[in-house]
Amino acid sequence: MHSQTATRQRTTLVFLLAGLGIVLLALLSTCMGSVRLPVDAVIKTLTGSDAVEPVMRQIIIDFRLPRILTALLAGAALGTAGLLMQTVFRNPLADPFVLGVNSGASLGVAVVLLALAPAGISLTAGLGAKGQLLVILASSAGAAATLFVVLILSRRVDIMSVLIIGLMISYAIGAIVSILMFFSMAERLQSFINWSFGDYGNVSWSHLRFFAPAILGGLVLSSLFIKPLDALLLGEQYAESVGTRTKQARFLVLLAASLLAGAVTGFCGPIGFLGIAAPHLSRYLCRTSSHRILIPSSILIGALLSLASDFVARGPGLDVVLPLNAITALVGAPVIIAALVKQRNLKRLFG
């Protein structure tokens, strides 16, 4: 009873601090940038006041809010997708990047955009509504195909071999993408390279009409499988003994993970490390293996890490925007190392 009370109190504290951190970072991200804006102007704009200069209102509404919302949604999606994959594969190193899911999504996007999209600064800028849906479908299909291939092969090999298979699939898909890039026009090639750095700034309000529902749908679908995920963490035999339909649950869980990782990759580029850092940090801070707690905590911590990485990438006070993937690696790697060193019961959690 005392342990449950302590876990509940610790979880509540983690949720409150993560929520507070998100609010503060969102406010900082809105105020700071190439043009610094006063806090009262941001608050007045958000509350609908007319006492704000039109230029400031446009900067806040049209540029900074979409970027902040995209960072929150992408972080929540990748944190959840990483948690789902680590549970299904019972592997603490599984995440969309390591298992080749990001590469699969990149291939789907490359096939659509290098062949169909108009050349321009942003890969998705010239696509209409059907094009946006096509990007989501292509990236999700590429992610799902990769994930299911890894899943099928994982039944014949041990856990470490699964990671090697994921890396080999990433290399193979990377080779195909390189061939596509070799035969592409120079303008599209430069756009694709920029997209591969990862950037939340390319997602506008019109993109969010498709991006946000896809992410929210994936999160809702994930939350429906809390009990099956808890059972799968203890092994398939145990899950079946308690009445879990393992094949159906695994298929739908991986479908949700593919949708989440594929949508983020399609619109923001391949974002590494968030998918593995957020679940590990959630386990370390909440000290539980219950997905009733881990799913919402991964959503919050993933969103917090994503927003913090984007804030650093934009270099407050500088006129440059650093590659987002480089920042997430710099933020994520120390977090993973620290969590793995301190979380000594990791092996017990994954069997």
Side-chain angles (χ1 to χ4, degrees), residues 94-112:
D95 87 325
F97 202 83
V98 173
L99 290 178
V101 177
N102 278 352
S103 298
S106 299
L107 177 60
V109 174
V111 169
V112 172

Side-chain angles (χ1 to χ4, degrees), residues 58-199:
Q58 185 178 18
I59 291 174
I60 295 171
I61 299 295
D62 292 342
F63 296 102
R64 296 192 179 174
L65 285 185
R67 184 170 192 139
I68 291 169
L69 287 175
T70 302
L72 293 174
L73 288 169
L78 292 177
T80 306
L83 175 66
L84 299 180
M85 293 179 193
Q86 289 173 15
T87 299
V88 170
F89 289 99
R90 299 182 70 202
N91 190 319
L93 296 178
D95 87 325
F97 202 83
V98 173
L99 290 178
V101 177
N102 278 352
S103 298
S106 299
L107 177 60
V109 174
V111 169
V112 172
L113 296 181
L114 291 178
L116 302 178
I121 296 175
S122 172
L123 273 174
T124 58
L127 295 178
K130 292 181 180 179
Q132 302 298 335
L133 283 175
L134 191 58
V135 168
I136 293 180
L137 291 175
S139 57
S140 297
T146 307
L147 199 53
F148 281 99
V149 168
V150 174
L151 179 63
I152 292 172
L153 295 177
S154 69
R155 296 181 177 181
R156 302 183 179 183
V157 297
D158 57 20
I159 290 176
M160 289 305 297
S161 299
V162 173
L163 299 179
I164 297 174
I165 288 173
L167 287 175
M168 293 303 105
I169 291 176
S170 292
Y171 285 131
I173 293 175
I176 297 173
V177 173
S178 296
I179 292 173
L180 286 174
M181 293 169 65
F182 180 79
F183 288 105
S184 297
M185 296 169 58
E187 294 84 357
R188 293 178 181 178
L189 183 60
Q190 184 59 49
S191 297
F192 189 80
I193 291 174
N194 292 338
W195 170 83
S196 67
F197 287 153
D199 190 1

Side-chain angles (χ1 to χ4, degrees), residues 247-270:
K247 290 184 179 179
Q248 183 182 32
R250 193 166 47 226
F251 174 81
L252 292 173
V253 167
L254 292 182
L255 182 65
S258 302
L259 178 62
L260 293 170
V264 173
T265 305
F267 280 92
C268 309

